[in-house]
Amino acid sequence: MPVKIKIEKKEKHTRARLGKLTTPHGEVETPIFMPVGTQATVKTMTPEEVKETGGRLVLSNTYHLYLRPGHDLVKEAGGLHKFMNWDGPILTDSGGFQVFSLGPLRTITEEGVEFRSHIDGSKHFFTPEKVMEIEQALGADIAMAFDECAPYPCEKEYAVAALERTTRWAERCKRVHKREDQALFGIIQGGVFPDLRERSAKELLAMDFPGYGIGGLSVGEPKELMYEVLDQLMPIMPEDKPRYLMGVGSPDCLIEGVVRGVDMFDCVLPTRIARNGTVFTHNGKLTVRNAEYARDFRPMDQQCDCYACRNYSRAYIRHLIKTDEILGIRLTTIHNLHFIQHLMQNIRQAIREDRLLEYREDFLKVFNAG
Ligand SMILES: CC1(C)O[C@@H]2[C@@H](CO[C@@]3(CNc4nc5cc6c(=O)[nH]c(N)nc6cc5[nH]4)OC(C)(C)O[C@@H]23)O1
């Protein structure tokens, strides 16, 4: 079994779990936030810096790496771990979401998806079999199945068709996935319809994947609706398999997801807003590029002990960002990744001490007041 989760403790008042996820490239603690490295790099960070912020498992993307530099090149380089010099676990998303979010540039059939590259408009055709070939060549520890993510909002009929195709494609992925040192995770769809979520889950649970992505969320639906879907879905998920909420998220969504039994998260938010000059602080978000910080010689977050907050002021980081100095977005990225990983560490400690609900209240009271 290349990937398995061992639940160390269940929080007394919620569905939250503390776990250890074992992979061919090492063991990580859950709940875990996975920094996104779409094109085989967590943008602006060296692997050592990602580790220094607390990152242990990173994401990369099949669609992007297939287009550039090509999965055959990555395989020739010795696989993704060697290519990007990351010796910890890696998860690759299947690109299902990317090709669907290309909008009019794609055509869906039972066989697969024809799409045009967002780079040069060239035509490509992804089938479950092709995506498995790509992911096995890349060599991540966890590979996501090729699925169809229904948009939000969408008609129930559309969500039914997408979940049924997702189930059929999951079977096709499983049939051709041979790499022993790579775990294939199924992805649950069903939009925001409780009965469809239950049906998608049961069909995929019957295939006995080692772990499950919860797809089709964080696609524009209200947060409360996402929480409702989780409230209905989690009770039927097996205790001994990892639950991975795809594309989530912000600090409040991470806490709410853990409360509902999610083990794994990924999101571009912390690194994306960092490149726009916005950082998370204990008092909410701070856009350090704003003029009000021009002569503010305090650290971005006075409660933070990350490299950026220990050594640089808001004024200096604002100056770097305003002058397009690359160090500026590197420092905001280091801070945001550290902030999120520190939040996850506090969440895991709160589970250990059965005080996750108190932690949620305390954290959000200050964070949302900012
Ligand atoms: C939150 C935030 C900042 O994250 C950004 C942007 C828009 O939302 C995101 C994050 N949400 C997200 N939902 C997903 C659902 C699936 C899914 O159903 N299947 C598969 N294979 N992969 C998925 C990946 C997902 N990512 O999705 C893209 C478009 C990748 O950019 C992200 O808002």
Side-chain angles (χ1 to χ4, degrees):
M1 177 89 86
V3 169
K4 64 181 189 310
I5 193 166
K6 180 171 171 297
I7 302 304
E8 310 259 300
K9 180 171 188 321
K10 291 164 73 174
E11 209 267 353
K12 205 174 277 181
H13 314 290
T14 66
R15 290 188 181 283
R17 309 117 61 84
L18 194 65
K20 286 257 191 318
L21 186 72
T22 305
T23 80
H25 279 85
E27 186 180 88
V28 297
E29 290 185 304
T30 61
I32 185 170
F33 177 82
M34 305 179 285
V36 175
T38 301
Q39 302 191 113
T41 163
V42 178
K43 291 185 176 8
T44 81
M45 295 285 98
T46 65
E48 290 72 17
E49 288 166 333
V50 173
K51 282 215 179 85
E52 169 60 27
T53 63
R56 293 292 176 271
L57 196 167
V58 299
L59 241 76
S60 213
N61 193 280
T62 301
Y63 164 81
H64 292 86
L65 293 175
Y66 160 79
L67 289 176
R68 289 184 301 191
H71 59 294
D72 46 349
L73 185 150
V74 175
K75 184 172 184 175
E76 202 180 313
L80 203 43
H81 291 87
K82 185 106 176 56
F83 191 51
M84 66 187 284
N85 185 33
W86 177 260
D87 61 4
I90 299 175
L91 181 150
T92 43
D93 192 1
S94 55
F97 189 74
Q98 278 65 33
V99 295
F100 289 107
S101 46
L102 282 173
L105 288 177
R106 49 107 176 111
T107 314
I108 310 171
T109 65
E110 183 54 28
E111 180 57 16
V113 184
E114 183 183 274
F115 63 93
R116 286 188 179 279
S117 158
H118 70 288
I119 299 158
D120 61 10
S122 54
K123 252 191 196 170
H124 301 269
F125 192 56
F126 268 11
T127 63
E129 294 77 15
K130 178 68 183 173
V131 169
M132 289 298 103
E133 175 205 320
I134 298 167
E135 291 197 87
Q136 290 181 101
L138 295 174
D141 300 90
I142 299 171
M144 302 309 289
F146 189 53
D147 61 328
E148 180 176 355
C149 171
Y152 176 83
C154 77
E155 295 299 320
K156 190 163 187 177
E157 294 71 29
Y158 191 111
V160 170
L163 90 80
E164 290 176 346
R165 183 172 284 140
T166 293
T167 297
R168 291 193 298 272
W169 283 1
E171 277 161 348
R172 287 171 53 185
C173 287
K174 203 167 168 59
R175 202 174 304 140
V176 298
H177 187 270
K178 303 295 176 207
R179 194 162 168 160
E180 300 280 312
D181 63 346
Q182 180 178 74
L184 175 63
F185 278 21
I187 302 178
I188 296 166
Q189 293 291 347
V192 292
F193 306 98
D195 54 330
L196 301 189
R197 281 283 168 180
E198 183 173 348
R199 182 180 157 197
S200 178
K202 286 186 172 162
E203 290 175 356
L204 291 168
L205 291 175
M207 293 181 223
D208 195 24
F209 287 103
Y212 291 90
I214 301 168
L217 292 174
S218 189
V219 289
E221 79 284 359
K223 290 181 179 180
E224 290 312 320
L225 196 43
M226 176 169 79
Y227 303 153
E228 255 177 63
V229 168
L230 294 175
D231 285 334
Q232 286 142 11
L233 175 61
M234 289 313 225
I236 66 168
M237 295 303 290
E239 295 273 321
D240 62 343
K241 300 278 177 74
R243 300 94 174 248
Y244 161 29
L245 180 52
M246 305 183 83
V248 174
S250 54
D252 50 327
C253 290
L254 292 171
I255 297 177
E256 298 294 355
V258 171
V259 162
R260 289 165 175 80
V262 174
D263 305 304
M264 300 163 73
F265 300 88
D266 88 276
C267 194
V268 294
L269 195 66
T271 40
R272 181 177 291 180
I273 65 170
R275 293 194 301 280
N276 300 333
T278 296
V279 292
F280 291 124
T281 78
H282 287 79
N283 299 309
K285 283 190 206 170
L286 180 147
T287 300
V288 71
R289 63 178 305 132
N290 288 351
E292 65 187 283
Y293 302 114
R295 313 183 87 83
D296 187 336
F297 300 108
R298 294 172 295 175
M300 289 182 284
D301 183 343
Q302 292 170 283
Q303 297 178 53
C304 179
D305 65 351
C306 82
Y307 169 72
C309 291
R310 281 186 280 113
N311 294 289
Y312 305 95
S313 69
R314 295 168 179 187
Y316 177 66
I317 293 170
R318 177 179 181 276
H319 156 64
L320 293 180
I321 290 178
K322 296 294 278 184
T323 55
D324 285 333
E325 281 294 343
I326 292 165
L327 179 60
I329 59 173
R330 278 177 38 75
L331 293 174
T332 53
T333 299
I334 285 170
H335 170 78
N336 275 358
L337 286 174
H338 178 96
F339 183 92
I340 294 291
Q341 295 297 354
H342 190 61
L343 170 64
M344 297 311 291
Q345 200 177 11
N346 287 341
I347 288 172
R348 292 191 293 266
Q349 190 55 30
I351 295 172
R352 280 189 196 93
E353 299 169 3
D354 290 320
R355 57 175 182 77
L356 183 58
L357 292 177
E358 292 85 341
Y359 180 74
R360 174 176 70 175
E361 191 183 339
D362 296 348
F363 177 86
L364 294 179
K365 190 163 46 189
V366 179
F367 185 78
N368 289 338

